[in-house]
Amino acid sequence: MVDVKGLWRRLAELASTPTAATPRHPPSQPKNPTRCALDFFSDRFLTIRDLGFFGQFSRSPNGRYVVGWSDRSPDGSRGGHRYDGEGRWILLEGDRLIAQGNLQRPQDGKVADDGTVLISDWLFGDGLDGVLAGFSSEGRQLLHHALTANIDNHALSPNGRIAICRTLNSPGSSDSCKLILFDVHAGRELARWDPESVSIAGYEFDTDADLVHVVTEDGDRAGYDFTGRLVNATEWQRARIGRGDLNVIKSAIEQAGSDAASEDIAAFLQGLAVACSTDADWLRARAFRAKGELLEKLGRDAEALEAYDSALLLDPQVGVFRRAEKLRRAVGGASKTKAPRKGRLEKQADRFGMKYEVIELEKGENKLWRSAAFREWTSIENAALEHYLDGGWSGAATEGGLILTVIKAASFAKLAERNADTYIEALYAQNVAFDEDRYAIGDLLANVRRADIGQLRRNWALISKSSGETPAFYPGVWWDGVEGLFKALGNERLAAIADRFSSAPYDLRAGWPDLTLWRGDEVRFVEVKGPSDSIHASQARLVRDLLNPLAHHVTLAEIIQAT
């Protein structure tokens, strides 16, 4: 049944609430500002009990003004994403309220030395939109610029004249992914342009020279004039290449073409060396690919092949497999006796130090498989597991769910009930809200080395409590698997895995092979790959950084249709 009264009430609210495209009438401002008792909490929050205000704040560069904003409904009951209930902003000179107003969802207030205020309004609802709003020290609206993209960040010049904002991706919108410059006092846009692909730490203004500098997190500065032209392009490009900025390096290589000077090539290779040493595997893989492409253009085929192989070790799907094989043939020359040709997956297994085997399964419709005619149709992973179970193995098809659950159950002499559903990677990374949950890694590993079946059973009772007989976050994990894998691994091998895992818990939570198998004290990890499948970057990282260094048996099982 339609709630007609509620519908009319909502329509009335919408009719009375200014839209993103419509500036609001200024609210009544305090005629005789009175002093307020200000209660600052850290460097972010402000409470003014006289005004019933609690929110965030920032100060003007000269310290004369404070702007506060609260993204909550008037009664304080709702904050953040919502569909009604306007937020509030206030302007203080010292401890006197001199201006105030309402916006739908005010965020990230700035105030200049003359009291000019700049606030982004994230607006009600679910849309990719926002408003950049500017006000004078008297509360008069100076700027109201509606955007069909969310606002990422913004800044205001110390004199209050110039503002800049960066927008986020908004498919199909002309406002998507832009830097936009405004004259706040004139209430108009000055320029917009596509920003450099960098993490922005802040902005600096030189209004005398009509310049704004975009400052990166590593201290580089891109200077733009008030038409949006990059005025220090050469210096900027040189600095970013030296930082290993892969986007800038690839663009510079393309611009240089075949006529690149030797000193430019040296700079490109030096920058690529920096990019190849970053912590992010996906970025390193693409850096090695770019290095290989440059070296191949220079005719340095052996070095190019080495770079391509490094890229493929990090990410088998980086897109240079065929190119690497072609170079390998060119560099190695023709062989008089040809070895049996290896398939794509077998070559990947060799590259990552994995065993390789082929399993024939019956293929059904809708990507269903089975290991024998008397079996039920199921997923390719479960069908492969049935194949190994028939061979005398025990195991589970849970990727990392089983081993991570065993680590969690073994890491605590007595698991606190509040941590029953906390992911083990959060506990090992100490990414928790309360100090009492920040456990020392050494203590966790010591518990693993001392753990016994009784301890695991007690902790398992808590871990599985919220959803019955299996963890809420790993529904395919059962007690029989936890007990069986723990007995097969033993304390020392499990502690060695937990120790490696603790070095990068969030990276090493993903990429575990599909199957975990055990028979006696023999343990195997099997990655199942069907037709057209491939090793992913997270899987390559886990095998390279955790399983191989501990000498675990890791197999890539290629599934083919039984004839």
Side-chain angles (χ1 to χ4, degrees), residues 12 16 39 54 163 195 213 257 284 318 326 369 454 481 484 495 534 541 563:
S16 63
D39 184 7
F54 173 76
H213 297 276
R284 289 173 60 204
V318 73
K326 182 179 179 180
W369 299 76
S534 181
R541 180 181 58 240
T563 57

Side-chain angles (χ1 to χ4, degrees), residues 159-313:
N159 64 7
R161 176 189 157 210
I162 301 297
I164 190 170
C165 76
R166 182 176 185 173
T167 60
L168 296 172
N169 184 43
S170 181
S173 169
S174 60
D175 294 331
S176 176
C177 298
K178 298 292 182 185
L179 279 174
I180 308 176
L181 196 68
F182 301 92
D183 184 326
V184 179
H185 291 172
R188 64 186 180 89
E189 179 182 320
L190 293 176
R192 63 172 57 203
W193 61 93
D194 296 325
E196 307 299 322
S197 298
V198 294
S199 296
I200 295 177
Y203 305 88
E204 295 177 0
F205 297 89
D206 184 349
T207 51
D208 292 335
D210 285 355
L211 292 175
V212 58
H213 297 276
V214 176
V215 184
T216 69
E217 290 184 350
D218 42 26
D220 293 331
R221 295 152 58 88
Y224 296 91
D225 65 19
F226 285 3
T227 69
R229 181 176 65 90
L230 181 60
V231 298
N232 62 336
T234 302
E235 295 83 356
W236 167 261
Q237 184 183 80
R238 186 183 302 118
R240 297 311 299 170
I241 290 174
R243 298 279 189 190
D245 187 323
L246 192 56
N247 290 324
V248 175
I249 294 171
K250 291 169 68 174
S251 176
I253 291 174
E254 185 177 349
Q255 290 173 11
S258 58
D259 299 327
S262 58
E263 57 268 25
D264 290 334
I265 293 172
F268 298 155
L269 289 172
Q270 186 175 358
L272 286 168
V274 175
C276 289
S277 63
T278 186
D279 292 334
D281 282 358
W282 68 270
L283 184 57
R284 289 173 60 204
R286 279 141 189 82
F288 275 114
R289 171 178 174 166
K291 181 180 179 180
E293 290 169 344
L294 176 58
L295 291 168
E296 190 177 0
K297 288 179 181 178
L298 296 173
R300 296 158 61 174
D301 289 355
E303 294 174 82
L305 177 59
E306 184 179 352
Y308 287 148
D309 282 342
S310 296
L312 288 165
L313 277 172

